[in-house]
Amino acid sequence: MITVTVDGKQVELQPGATLWQAAEAAGVGIPVLCHDPRLRPVGVCRLCLVELADGTLIPSCCTPAANGVSFRTATDRIRDHRRMLLRLLLATHRIPCLAQQSTGSCLLEQLGVEYGLLDGHGRPADPALIELRTLALSEAPVDDSSPAILVDHAACILCDRCIRACDEVQCNDVIGRSGKGFETRIAFDLGAPMGHSSCVTCGECVQVCPTGALVERRMAETVRRDEPLRVVASVCPYCGVGCTTDYIKAGPRIVAVRGRPSPGSDGRLCVKGRYGWDYALHPHRLTTPLIRRPGYYPKGPLTADTRGDTWDGGRRKPGSPVPDYEQALEAFREASWQEALDLIAERLQEIRRRYGTRALAGFGSAKCSNEEAYLFQKLVRAGFGNNNVDHCTRLCHASSVAALLECIGSGAVTNSFRDVDRTDLILVTGSNTVENHPVAATFFKQAVRRGKRLLVVDPRRPRLADYATWYCRIQPGSDVAFYNALMHVLIRDRLYDEEFVRRRVRGFESFWEVVQHYAPQRAAPLCGIPAAQLEEIAHAIGTARAMMVFWGMGISQHTHGTDNARCLIALCLLTGNVGRPGTGLHPLRGQNNVQGASDAGLIPMVYPDYQPVADPEVRSRFEEAWGVSLDPKPGLTVVETMNAALSGEVKGMLMMGENPFLSDPNVNKVRAALAKLEFLAVQDIFLTETAEFADVILPSASFFEKLGTYTNTDRRVQLGRPVLDPPGQARPDWMILSELLERFGIPADYESPEKIFREFADLTRSYRGLNYDVLGLDGKIWPVERPDAPERPILFADRFPTADGKGKLVGCHYAPPAELPDADYPFVLNTGRMLEHWHTGTMTRRSATLATLAPTPYVEINRDDAEALGVAEGDFVRVSSRRGTVVLAVRPTDRVAQGCVFIPFHFREAAANLLTIDELDPYGKIPEYKFCAVRIEPAPRPEG
Amino acid sequence: MATDFEPVLLANVGVPDSQRLEVYRQRGGYRALEKTLREYSPEEVVELVVQSKLRGRGGAGFPCGMKWKFLPKDRTVTYLCVNADESEPGTFNNRILMENDPHQVLEGIAIAAYATRAQTAYIYIRYEYVRAYETLQQAINEAYEAGILGERVLGSDFSLNVYLHRGAGAYICGEETGLIESLEGKRGWPRTKPPYPAVEGVFRKPTVVNNVETLCCVKHIMDRGVDWFLSIGVPADPNNPRDLGSYGPKLYCVSGHVNRPGCYELPLGVPCRELIERYGGGVRGGKRAKAVIPGGLSMGFLKEDELDTPLDFNSLQKVGCLGLGTAAVVVFDEDTSIVELLHRSCRFFAHESCGQCTPCREGTGWMYRILTRILHGEGRIEDLDLLLELADSMGIIPGTTICGLADGAAWPVKTAIRKFRDEFEAFIRSGSRLTAASSGSAAGEAS
Ligand SMILES: Cc1cc2nc3c(=O)[nH]c(=O)nc-3n(C[C@H](O)[C@H](O)[C@H](O)COP(=O)(O)O)c2cc1C
Ligand code: SF4
Ligand code: SF4
Ligand code: SF4
Ligand code: FES
C-alpha cells in the first residue's frame, strides 16, 4: 500500500493507482473531460490538473501516484487554468449542443456553468468567451448519415474517448483524427460521413462521448429538455452473450440503451442490442387474441410471400420485409382471452381423446425466459401427456450437446468467454463471432492485441480471421479430417498431455486406431490445408500452456455435426485443456436463452437440468412434483415433429415464439406440414409466417414487457426486467401458460415469475441455490447449489459428470456431406446470419434502425466466380437447389472461396431455407444448413 | 575571447572529399572509437560523459551522461535514436555536420551506442534534408564495408546496426517521443511522460534520444579527454546549485538580417552581440537590430539592449527567454514589424501543433486567430492581455501540456508583447492593416 495526501487528507492506495484515483478515494472529485475509467488514460484534455507541493501542475488522470506524494486539487491556479481551458473549448462549441438541448448532458456546458463561463440559462457570460466566440469560424453542419447516430463536429472537444472506445474496447478501428493543430477533427475511416464508413454502429463511441458531438439520434430528436429520465437495468434480448443493458426512459418511451457494466459484457453492446429494441413498438404487434374465421379453411398460407408464389418464373411481386400483415389479418377475428384459451384447451384435448396423447406436440422458444420454458415443457409433459417438446436448439447446437453429453457428461460450456484473457491460444471454428456474438468477439480481438494467439478455422473467411495468427480455409464439411490430422500429429509426436489422458480420459487406444489414418499428408487433400501447416498448428497447440475452443453453427449444422464436435472435445481432452483457467470447450450459444431453455427442459429426452425422461427414478420425482403420471418415452425433435405432422401422426400443436416456417430446413415441406395440422395455436408477438397456419393466435408480451431470467452462453443466469407496458391485451407467456395449465387440470396459480423460478430451481441441482435476490444486477453462473456458494465458472477441474468420472475420446472418420455439388448444381451453399439481423427477421426487420442498415437480401459469391458468371455487385441472380429457388442481389467478395456461396437466412423474400436440405445428423438430429448444392444463373432485377 | 578558437566539430568542413571514409580516417577519424572499444568498458564511457558535463544540443540542454544513466540496469535491449529532424526555425547545424562530415556523426553514434549497450541505432532525419540523407547513407554503406558497423565493430565484441529513417515533414516529430511514435510508424504524437524514453522508448524498450551535435561532442570527449572539454565554455556558478555549467564548443547558426549568415563554432557563452557583429558581419545595410531570436524561434525574442547576454544554458532565462534552445540566432532589423513577426510565429506553431492536448491545440489556434485579427486592423488593446494570459497558461513549464511545443509557441508571444508592447498598442490604435503577403520578415516557415 502507498500513502497519498489529497488536499491535506491522507489515503491508502494500491501501488499503481493514479492521482485521480487517489482523489476519488479521498472523496474529492476532480473534473475530467478525456478520462473515462473504462478507457486507457491519455491525458489530452488537461482539465484534471492538480498542483504538487512544489507548485508543479500535473494531470491526475494519467499520473501514477508516488508513495508519500501530496497534492492539491483546487488552488486558484488550478481554477484559473480550468477556466481558461473551458473558455477555449466553449469558444468553438455549439451552444447548446445536441446533448445539452435534449438531455442536458453535455459535460463541457455543465462545467461551463460551474466555472461561471455560462450563465444559469447556459448562455455565454464570460466577456473573454463572448469575445472569442465572435472570432469562431462557421460551424460545419451535423452529419446525419447514420440512421442511429448524429455527429456534430462543432460540439467535439477532441477528448479521444470515442477513438479509444472504438479502437480499444470494440476493436473496430473506425475513428481516428484527421488534420493537425486546431484543424484537427475526429474522422471516420479517412473522413467519410459516419453512415458511409466502415462503422458497424455498435454505439460504443456515443456511450462515451461527453458532449453532443456523438449523440443518439432518437434521444436528440425526441427528448425534451428537463424531461425526467429513468433507467431500468436489464439484459439484451438478442444473442447468447447476454449483454447487460440500461434502458433509458423518458416517460413511457425508451429513448436510448446503454451497456451496463457487468462481469460478462463489461458494458459493451452491439448494434442489435443498442438499436434493435424498437421492434417492440412496431404497429404489427398483436394486441388481442385472434381466432381463424370459418371462411379460411382448409388452412393454408395467407400471404403471397408465405405461399411462395412470388418466386414463380424467377419473378417476385413487390414484397415487404415482413409478411403482408393486412392480408393475413383478414383471416382472423378478434376474440376474448377466455374464448381463445378455452378453444385451445378444448381442441387439443379433443385431438388427444381422438388420436392419443402422442398426437400433440409443442415448440417452445429460446427467446422466452427460463420460467416460461419451464412452464411450457411442464404443459406438454404434464398436460399434453407426452415428451414432444423441443425448440430451436435443435437447429443450433443439438449435435454439440449430443457430443458433449456423450464425451464429458454435460452439455454446457466449461469456461466463460472472458477466460480468453488467461489463455495462450484461442481456437475459433465455425463461428462468425464478430457478427453473431459481436461482444464476445470484442474480447477475442482484445486478447489477440494483448498477445494471445488465435487460430480461426472456417471455410468462409470471418472478419475475426483478420486478427488470426493462422486462418485455415478448410474445404466445407472437412472439419473431421482437419482435426484428426492435428490430433494425429499430437499423438505421433507425443505432444499431448499424457498425464491428463492417463488420469482423466478413456478410449485412447481405440481413438488412435482411427486418427492414425490421418497423417497430415493424407488429410491435406481432404481438408485443403497443406501438411506443413497442419504440423505447425498441431505443434503450437501441443506446446501451448492453455487453449480455449469456441465453436458455432459451422461445426454443428452438418450431417456429421456431432462428429465435428467430438473432434473438438477430443482435442481438448488429449491436450489436457479442460478444468483450468484459460482452457475449455465453449459452444457459443445462439439465442439469448438457448442455454436456459435447454436447462429448463425444452428438450424431448430430458426434464429440467438434463434429467432423462427414460430414467424411472427421475420420472417418479417429477410425477410427484407435478402430481400426474408421465410418459417414459422420449419425444420427437423439431424436424421429426414436422415429419410426423406431414404423415399425420401429430395433429395438434402449440407454438410459443417459434417460427419454424422460416427457420427450419426445406420450407416447402414445413408449409405442407403446418397446413396439414388439425389444430395449431400460436403465442407470439407478431403474426408470423407460422401463425398464418394457426387456428388461434395469442398476443404475447415481448421481452421488454415482462420479468424473467435468461441464461447466457457462459451459463450466467441474469434477470430481465420490464421496461415497457405490453400493448393492448398482450400478456406475458408465463401467464398464458398458467391459464392453459389450469385448463389441463394442473394447478398453476403463480402470482409472479419468481414463484415459477422457485419451483423450477428446486427440481434441479444446478439452479437450486439461485433466487432473484442472489442474481442481483450481475447474475450468477450455474451451478449454484446453495445461495451462499461461490461461483464456479470453470467446470470439471477434477472429474467429469460421467459414470466413471472420466472423459471419453471418440474417434470419427471423415465422411463427405450429404449433397455434393455436381454438374447440375455446381456450387456449395452455406447459410448463416449477419450482424444487423436476427434469425427470421421477425424482430430485426421491424426495427427501423436495423432495417435501414441492412435492408435487402444478398448472396456472397467469390469474385472470380462472379466474373465467370458475368455478374457484378448489385446484379441479380437466381439461386436454385433441388428444393427451391430464390432471386437476390450479388455481392462479389473474397470471403467465400471459389465454388462456394453464402446467403443470410433472415430475408423472407429470398428465404435461404427454400434451398437448404433437411438431411439430419444421426445423433443430434440437426439439419445440414451449412452445406447443399446449388446452381446460379443471372436473372433480371425483380420488379418493385 | 573567441577569436582564436580552433574549430573541432567543424574541423573537416571545407576539406576536399570530407565525406569520404578515407579522408576522414586520414584526419584522425575513428581513432576515438577504436580507443574506446579497446580501453573502456561501456560504464566507463558513461562515467566520462557524466564528468564532461556535456549538455544536449537538441534544445533542452539536458545533461547527456545523466540521461544515459537513467537506462534501467537490467535492460536486455536498448535503442539509440539520433535526432536529426532539425526543424526549429533558424537551425541548420545538424545539416552541416551530416552533409560535410557524416563519419564524425557515425563515430559519435557508435561510441554512444557502445556506451549505452545499444545494438541498433535509428537516425531520424528531416524529410527535406535530401543531400544529408544521401551523404549519410553513403557513409553508412562505407562504414559497413569497412567493418565499422555491423557485426563485431572494428573487430571488437560489439555489434551495431544503423538505420536511416526519413521523417515526413512535421516539426513535432523532432520532439523525442513524437519522433519515437513516428519511427514506429504511427502518428507523430508526443507521449505523456513518465515513462521517459530511457525506460520505455522505441517499441516500449529502453531508448536514448540524442541530437546529432551532442553525439559529435561525445566523439571529441573520447578523443581529447574530459579536461579538454571542461576547459571550454562557461563554468557553473558555484553560488547557484541549479546551474550545471555550459561546457564545450557549440555550433551557432546565424541568419536573418545579417551580412554573413552561417554556422560558427565557438565556445558556449559567446555574447549574442559579438556573434552578430564579429561573425555574422553585423546587421545588413548598416541598420540596427530590433529583435533577435537567440536559439530558435521557440526561445522568444531579445531586444537590442539585451544583446550582450551570453549565449549559454543559464543566461537567457534571465532576460525572459525560454533558454539557449538550438543556439540558432536570427536577427531582425529595425524595419521589421514585430506584429507581423509574431503573427508568422503564431501561424507556424498553430500549424505544427499536433493537436493532441487541448491547451496547445486551442491555445495556438486562438493566438493565431487573435493575431490575424490584429493584423487586419480589428484588434483591441485587451487582446494583448488575453494573448498573454493564453501564453502564460500553456506549456510543460506551467505544467499544462504534454510536450514542449506549447512552450515554444508561448515564449515568442510573451517576449514580443512584454518587450514590444508599445509597438503592438500603437499598431492597434492606428487601425493599420497588414496582410501576411507584404511581409519581409525572416521568420520563415520551417516545414
Ligand atoms: C516541439 C519540439 C521539437 C523538437 N525538435 C527537435 C529537433 O528537431 N531536433 C532535436 O535534436 N531535438 C528536438 N527537440 C528536443 C528533443 O525533444 C530532445 O530533447 C532532444 O532530441 C534530446 O537530444 P539531446 O539531449 O542530445 O539534445 C524538440 C523538442 C520539442 C518540444
Ligand atoms: S458506432 Fe462503434 S464501430 Fe461505429 S464508430 Fe462508434 S464505436 Fe466505432
Ligand atoms: S466526438 Fe465526443 S468522444 Fe469523440 S473526441 Fe469528440 S467529444 Fe470526444
Ligand atoms: S503540447 Fe502541443 S504539440 Fe505537444 S502534445 Fe500537446 S498538442 Fe501536441
Ligand atoms: S481528464 Fe486528465 S487530461 Fe483529460
Side-chain angles (χ1 to χ4, degrees):
Chain A
M1 292 300 259
I2 56 170
T3 313
V4 176
T5 312
V6 186
D7 291 339
K9 188 175 163 195
Q10 280 209 349
V11 285
E12 299 250 297
L13 295 162
Q14 292 295 336
T18 61
L19 298 178
W20 191 79
Q21 286 165 329
E24 207 179 29
V28 178
I30 299 177
V32 296
L33 284 172
C34 70
H35 187 53
D36 178 327
R38 279 207 313 151
L39 303 173
R40 179 178 55 93
V42 289
V44 298
C45 80
R46 318 304 276 187
L47 191 73
C48 68
L49 294 191
V50 295
E51 193 171 329
L52 298 181
D54 67 357
T56 328
L57 296 183
I58 192 161
S60 59
C61 70
C62 55
T63 307
N67 194 14
V69 76
S70 163
F71 64 91
R72 314 226 133 246
T73 67
T75 61
D76 286 348
R77 253 180 88 206
I78 292 172
R79 226 188 128 73
D80 287 350
H81 160 76
R82 288 192 189 138
R83 267 174 67 86
M84 179 55 93
L85 205 62
L86 293 168
R87 184 186 286 135
L88 294 178
L89 289 170
L90 283 165
T92 46
H93 181 77
R94 192 191 297 282
I95 301 178
C97 69
L98 292 169
Q100 193 64 13
Q101 270 170 42
S102 54
T103 52
S105 60
C106 173
L107 193 53
L108 178 63
E109 291 180 52
Q110 287 167 2
L111 286 165
V113 173
E114 193 181 322
Y115 280 78
L117 298 163
L118 305 179
D119 65 18
H121 304 286
R123 287 180 303 241
D126 168 68
L129 172 60
I130 294 171
E131 190 53 38
L132 287 179
R133 283 182 69 84
T134 63
L135 272 170
L137 309 171
S138 64
E139 290 161 351
V142 172
D143 169 3
D144 61 355
S145 57
S146 157
I149 299 165
L150 296 173
V151 188
D152 183 5
H153 292 283
C156 174
I157 56 170
L158 294 168
C159 67
D160 291 357
R161 286 196 201 189
C162 55
I163 297 178
R164 282 171 283 156
C166 190
D167 284 9
E168 292 162 19
V169 177
Q170 291 273 348
C171 303
N172 289 331
D173 302 336
V174 177
I175 317 183
R177 285 183 175 202
S178 68
K180 62 178 181 179
F182 67 97
E183 279 163 2
T184 309
R185 298 276 171 278
I186 59 153
F188 302 91
D189 295 345
L190 299 176
M194 187 184 208
H196 306 157
S197 73
S198 60
C199 164
V200 295
T201 327
C202 69
E204 193 75 38
C205 53
V206 186
Q207 178 154 341
V208 298
C209 179
T211 70
L214 289 166
V215 284
E216 302 286 2
R217 195 182 187 121
R218 184 181 294 261
M219 190 117 119
E221 286 174 356
T222 65
V223 176
R224 281 172 291 109
R225 187 64 203 278
D226 301 328
E227 203 172 355
L229 297 178
R230 212 161 57 78
V231 177
V232 182
S234 187
V235 293
C236 167
Y238 282 102
C239 82
V241 179
C243 297
T244 42
T245 50
D246 270 335
Y247 292 95
I248 306 195
K249 294 185 64 184
R253 309 161 356 251
I254 296 178
V255 291
V257 185
R258 312 215 125 205
R260 177 165 61 83
S262 69
S265 56
D266 189 37
R268 306 174 192 183
L269 289 177
C270 80
V271 62
K272 291 185 287 279
R274 201 181 299 270
Y275 300 110
W277 56 270
D278 55 339
Y279 69 85
L281 307 181
H282 197 276
H284 285 174
R285 279 293 299 276
L286 293 169
T287 54
T288 54
L290 299 171
I291 293 178
R292 199 177 193 94
R293 293 181 198 275
Y296 287 84
Y297 286 91
K299 286 189 293 181
L302 299 169
T303 60
D305 276 348
T306 308
R307 268 199 303 279
D309 53 10
T310 46
W311 291 284
D312 283 351
R315 320 191 67 136
R316 55 181 298 274
K317 293 181 193 135
S320 75
V322 290
D324 187 340
Y325 186 67
E326 299 298 323
Q327 218 176 354
L329 212 54
E330 271 170 26
F332 296 92
R333 67 171 170 86
E334 294 188 355
S336 70
W337 274 104
Q338 177 84 24
E339 183 189 5
L341 289 166
D342 286 349
L343 184 62
I344 294 172
E346 186 186 306
R347 293 289 309 275
L348 290 176
Q349 283 160 9
E350 183 192 313
I351 288 173
R352 187 173 59 178
R353 264 196 311 280
R354 198 121 49 91
Y355 306 102
T357 49
R358 296 211 174 116
L360 296 180
F363 287 173
S365 166
K367 279 241 136 336
C368 292
S369 67
N370 288 324
E371 292 75 2
E372 289 162 344
Y374 169 78
L375 277 197
F376 191 88
Q377 59 89 37
K378 183 176 177 184
L379 174 65
V380 173
R381 295 194 154 112
F384 296 2
N386 65 36
N387 291 304
N388 291 340
V389 59
D390 204 356
H391 73 293
C392 67
T393 189
R394 194 58 50 203
L395 309 175
C396 307
H397 269 309
S399 46
S400 311
V401 171
L404 285 165
L405 286 172
E406 173 191 13
C407 299
I408 62 170
S410 160
V413 302
T414 66
N415 293 58
S416 49
F417 58 80
R418 290 195 59 184
D419 237 19
V420 290
D421 289 342
R422 301 194 284 179
T423 194
D424 267 358
L425 198 157
I426 308 167
L427 164 54
V428 178
T429 175
S431 162
N432 184 6
T433 329
V434 170
E435 297 197 58
N436 297 338
H437 299 88
V439 171
T442 64
F443 292 101
F444 298 178
K445 293 188 277 187
Q446 267 186 332
V448 172
R449 290 201 171 162
R450 291 176 188 153
K452 315 290 184 196
R453 284 170 302 167
L454 172 67
L455 166 60
V456 172
V457 183
D458 208 308
R460 173 171 177 251
R461 187 185 169 97
R463 291 193 202 285
L464 197 62
D466 298 349
Y467 291 76
T469 322
W470 307 273
Y471 165 57
C472 295
R473 171 173 273 172
I474 56 168
Q475 296 288 338
S478 70
D479 310 69
V480 169
F482 177 82
Y483 294 106
N484 277 354
L486 297 185
M487 293 189 282
H488 176 101
V489 176
L490 283 166
I491 297 175
R492 184 198 69 195
D493 295 353
R494 311 203 79 162
L495 285 165
Y496 67 100
D497 187 338
E498 294 182 52
E499 158 76 11
F500 188 90
V501 169
R502 200 175 52 249
R503 273 194 310 117
R504 303 202 45 194
V505 174
R506 79 193 131 81
F508 182 78
E509 278 72 29
S510 54
F511 183 75
W512 175 243
E513 290 294 301
V514 176
V515 297
Q516 66 169 322
H517 301 293
Y518 292 84
Q521 294 77 355
R522 208 193 138 238
L526 297 177
C527 65
I529 303 300
Q533 194 175 25
L534 291 169
E535 301 264 359
E536 180 195 333
I537 292 171
H539 278 252
I541 292 175
T543 52
R545 194 186 37 83
M547 170 181 71
M548 285 191 86
V549 179
F550 294 89
W551 72 92
M553 257 87 291
I555 285 294
S556 57
Q557 288 179 344
H558 284 285
T559 46
H560 45 260
T562 305
D563 287 347
N564 291 348
R566 283 168 173 156
C567 284
L568 297 175
I569 298 163
L571 187 61
C572 283
L573 290 179
L574 262 187
T575 50
N577 278 309
V578 189
R580 286 182 292 130
T583 68
L585 292 153
H586 196 125
L588 284 158
R589 295 309 165 118
Q591 293 277 12
N592 61 333
N593 200 35
V594 69
Q595 180 65 51
S598 305
D599 297 344
L602 276 190
I603 301 183
M605 313 81 182
V606 293
Y607 296 123
D609 211 11
Y610 310 96
Q611 306 175 71
V613 296
D615 181 333
E617 208 177 300
V618 168
R619 193 168 58 250
S620 66
R621 214 154 13 90
F622 278 89
E623 286 177 336
E624 194 183 325
W626 293 342
V628 289
S629 68
L630 297 171
D631 186 349
K633 185 172 177 257
L636 301 175
T637 61
V638 167
V639 177
E640 287 168 340
T641 305
M642 281 295 127
N643 288 339
L646 203 58
S647 70
E649 282 165 61
V650 164
K651 300 226 179 267
M653 280 193 76
L654 175 65
M655 305 250 192
M656 174 174 77
E658 280 281 86
N659 189 11
F661 181 81
L662 275 193
S663 60
D664 288 10
N666 197 344
V667 168
N668 287 325
K669 195 155 119 188
V670 175
R671 185 186 298 131
L674 289 175
K676 194 137 188 245
L677 285 173
E678 265 182 35
F679 184 79
L680 171 63
V682 169
Q683 319 169 204
D684 214 316
I685 62 173
F686 293 115
L687 207 162
T688 58
E689 291 86 344
T690 303
E692 289 182 30
F693 298 87
D695 298 85
V696 182
I697 305 174
L698 301 176
S700 300
S702 77
F703 172 87
F704 297 100
E705 297 147 10
K706 64 192 179 191
L707 178 67
T709 60
Y710 302 84
T711 307
N712 81 351
T713 188
D714 276 347
R715 313 188 311 268
R716 186 181 292 281
V717 188
Q718 310 187 103
L719 263 176
R721 295 182 182 76
V723 192
L724 299 169
D725 291 330
Q729 302 176 36
R731 288 184 187 175
D733 288 303
W734 66 267
M735 282 190 190
I736 301 173
L737 293 168
S738 306
E739 294 272 2
L740 288 172
L741 276 164
E742 294 274 359
R743 282 169 174 75
F744 274 84
I746 320 273
D749 54 347
Y750 306 105
E751 75 256 27
S752 77
E754 206 167 351
K755 274 267 159 40
I756 307 168
F757 187 83
R758 190 70 269 138
E759 177 179 321
F760 155 58
D762 284 343
L763 284 165
T764 72
R765 284 174 74 92
S766 308
Y767 283 69
R768 183 173 298 159
L770 294 175
N771 60 52
Y772 283 14
D773 292 333
V774 169
L775 294 180
L777 283 171
D778 286 348
K780 270 265 178 326
I781 290 181
W782 68 251
V784 182
E785 289 176 29
R786 289 188 328 273
D788 54 353
E791 243 176 21
R792 281 166 48 206
I794 300 173
L795 295 180
F796 317 138
D798 315 311
R799 66 187 312 277
F800 295 105
T802 50
D804 59 358
K806 287 189 170 188
K808 183 174 158 198
L809 291 171
V810 181
C812 312
H813 277 291
Y814 164 76
E819 187 184 58
L820 290 172
D822 55 23
D824 290 336
Y825 296 93
F827 286 93
V828 175
L829 170 69
N830 182 359
T831 67
R833 293 183 276 154
M834 57 191 288
L835 174 65
E836 292 83 0
H837 283 300
W838 189 257
H839 287 68
T840 59
T842 311
M843 294 152 69
T844 50
R845 299 199 76 194
R846 287 185 174 93
S847 155
T849 308
L850 298 178
T852 313
L853 286 169
T856 47
Y858 60 88
V859 52
E860 285 182 0
I861 301 182
N862 182 276
R863 286 184 202 285
D864 295 334
D865 289 338
E867 209 177 295
L869 285 164
V871 289
E873 176 93 37
D875 287 353
F876 279 75
V877 289
R878 180 166 34 248
V879 182
S880 326
S881 75
R882 292 189 172 81
R883 293 154 295 277
T885 292
V886 298
V887 176
L888 32 52
V890 167
R891 206 176 267 187
T893 169
D894 296 324
R895 291 182 73 187
V896 293
Q898 262 185 289
C900 297
V901 300
F902 171 84
I903 302 180
F905 73 90
H906 313 294
F907 298 93
R908 55 195 315 284
E909 62 273 41
N913 286 328
L914 283 168
L915 308 174
T916 49
I917 187 167
D918 54 345
E919 207 64 46
L920 297 187
D921 171 88
Y923 310 94
K925 307 277 159 63
I926 199 163
E928 186 150 63
Y929 286 116
K930 299 295 182 196
F931 198 111
C932 75
V934 295
R935 173 169 68 215
I936 299 178
E937 303 141 297
R941 165 179 290 274
E943 292 154 26
Chain B
M1 71 180 245
T3 34
D4 42 17
F5 188 75
E6 166 94 24
V8 180
L9 297 164
L10 297 184
N12 293 338
V13 176
V15 172
D17 287 332
S18 63
Q19 299 88 345
R20 287 183 37 214
L21 176 59
E22 201 189 327
V23 175
Y24 184 68
R25 279 200 141 143
Q26 276 161 15
R27 298 177 57 83
Y30 290 117
R31 201 173 54 197
L33 175 61
E34 257 168 65
K35 182 168 102 178
T36 305
L37 294 175
R38 203 175 50 234
E39 294 176 12
Y40 298 98
S41 71
E43 290 70 29
E44 284 165 345
V45 184
V46 174
E47 203 41 57
L48 289 175
V49 173
V50 170
Q51 284 167 18
S52 76
K53 306 199 172 165
L54 167 65
R55 294 175 65 174
R57 305 306 200 221
F62 194 84
C64 183
M66 202 194 287
K67 189 190 292 193
W68 293 1
K69 280 199 142 178
F70 284 152
L71 290 167
K73 293 267 164 315
D74 57 353
R75 67 193 187 274
T76 50
V77 191
T78 316
Y79 292 108
L80 174 65
C81 267
V82 185
N83 194 338
D85 194 52
E86 196 166 68
S87 305
E88 182 64 32
T91 315
F92 47 91
N93 54 25
N94 287 182
R95 175 167 63 86
I96 302 237
L97 289 169
M98 292 186 287
E99 287 181 357
N100 294 283
D101 202 0
H103 284 289
Q104 182 188 191
V105 178
L106 291 181
E107 187 171 5
I109 291 172
I111 295 172
Y114 175 71
T116 56
R117 298 180 185 279
Q119 302 203 355
T120 308
Y122 297 103
I123 307 174
Y124 189 100
I125 187 169
R126 177 177 170 156
Y127 176 77
E128 293 85 345
Y129 281 4
V130 179
R131 174 120 63 95
Y133 174 79
E134 284 166 358
T135 311
L136 210 45
Q137 187 59 57
Q138 233 155 27
I140 291 171
N141 297 346
E142 274 182 315
Y144 268 103
E145 269 164 40
I148 298 167
L149 295 178
E151 296 296 308
R152 306 181 62 84
V153 170
L154 294 173
S156 69
D157 287 341
F158 167 66
S159 300
L160 173 66
N161 283 306
V162 175
Y163 301 92
L164 192 53
H165 181 95
R166 287 181 89 180
Y171 175 66
I172 195 59
C173 292
E175 197 280 339
E176 55 188 7
T177 55
L179 180 148
I180 288 170
E181 288 280 300
S182 167
L183 191 67
E184 289 180 3
K186 305 185 200 137
R187 221 167 205 255
W189 271 14
R191 293 179 182 168
T192 302
K193 287 145 273 197
Y196 286 94
V199 178
E200 268 185 41
V202 178
F203 307 121
R204 301 277 161 191
K205 298 288 179 213
T207 298
V208 164
V209 185
N210 274 129
N211 177 263
V212 169
E213 187 185 337
T214 313
L215 295 176
C216 289
C217 289
V218 168
K219 177 217 135 138
H220 295 290
I221 291 167
M222 294 314 292
D223 201 21
R224 298 169 182 238
V226 170
D227 292 338
W228 162 80
F229 195 78
L230 287 171
S231 72
I232 303 166
V234 186
D237 174 0
N239 299 321
N240 179 359
R242 299 177 72 170
D243 180 0
L244 304 173
S246 306
Y247 298 96
K250 178 79 194 86
L251 298 182
Y252 292 95
C253 302
V254 183
S255 65
H257 299 147
V258 290
N259 286 313
R260 272 201 312 271
C263 179
Y264 301 99
E265 181 174 355
L266 294 166
L268 272 166
V270 62
C272 192
R273 193 183 300 281
E274 185 182 337
L275 183 69
I276 297 168
E277 296 298 331
R278 197 140 159 207
Y279 298 91
V283 182
R284 228 169 41 187
K287 292 184 188 157
R288 276 168 60 84
K290 185 196 240 175
V292 172
I293 291 171
L297 180 57
S298 305
M299 298 301 118
F301 300 101
L302 292 173
K303 282 192 308 190
E304 201 319 307
D305 60 11
E306 294 165 340
L307 291 184
D308 293 319
T309 312
L311 296 176
D312 62 29
F313 287 115
N314 211 31
S315 303
L316 287 154
Q317 290 84 338
K318 295 177 191 157
V319 287
C321 289
L322 185 49
L324 178 64
T326 60
V329 173
V330 188
V331 179
F332 302 96
D333 69 21
E334 54 196 323
D335 296 339
T336 310
S337 160
I338 296 291
V339 178
E340 199 179 341
L341 183 57
L342 189 61
H343 179 256
R344 283 275 183 125
S345 165
C346 286
R347 185 168 69 185
F348 174 77
F349 287 108
H351 181 69
E352 295 297 344
S353 162
C354 79
Q356 186 180 191
C357 59
T358 315
C360 171
R361 178 187 68 243
E362 302 297 325
T364 55
W366 281 111
M367 293 196 303
Y368 172 54
R369 274 178 259 185
I370 294 168
L371 269 151
T372 304
R373 175 162 89 164
I374 293 175
L375 204 66
H376 289 176
E378 289 150 24
R380 305 165 326 135
I381 299 295
E382 303 89 90
D383 286 352
L384 299 176
D385 295 318
L386 185 54
L387 282 167
L388 283 176
E389 202 186 330
L390 271 170
D392 284 338
S393 75
M394 58 195 264
I396 44 175
I397 291 181
T400 61
T401 59
I402 293 176
C403 88
L405 183 137
D407 303 80
W411 249 265
V413 173
K414 293 194 221 192
T415 49
I417 296 180
R418 294 212 167 104
K419 296 182 183 184
F420 299 94
R421 185 159 184 128
D422 293 348
E423 184 177 335
F424 279 95
E425 292 195 358
F427 184 92
I428 291 170
R429 291 225 169 79
S430 74
S432 331
R433 299 170 63 89
L434 272 175
T435 55
S438 71
S439 142
S441 81
E445 260 100 306
S447 51

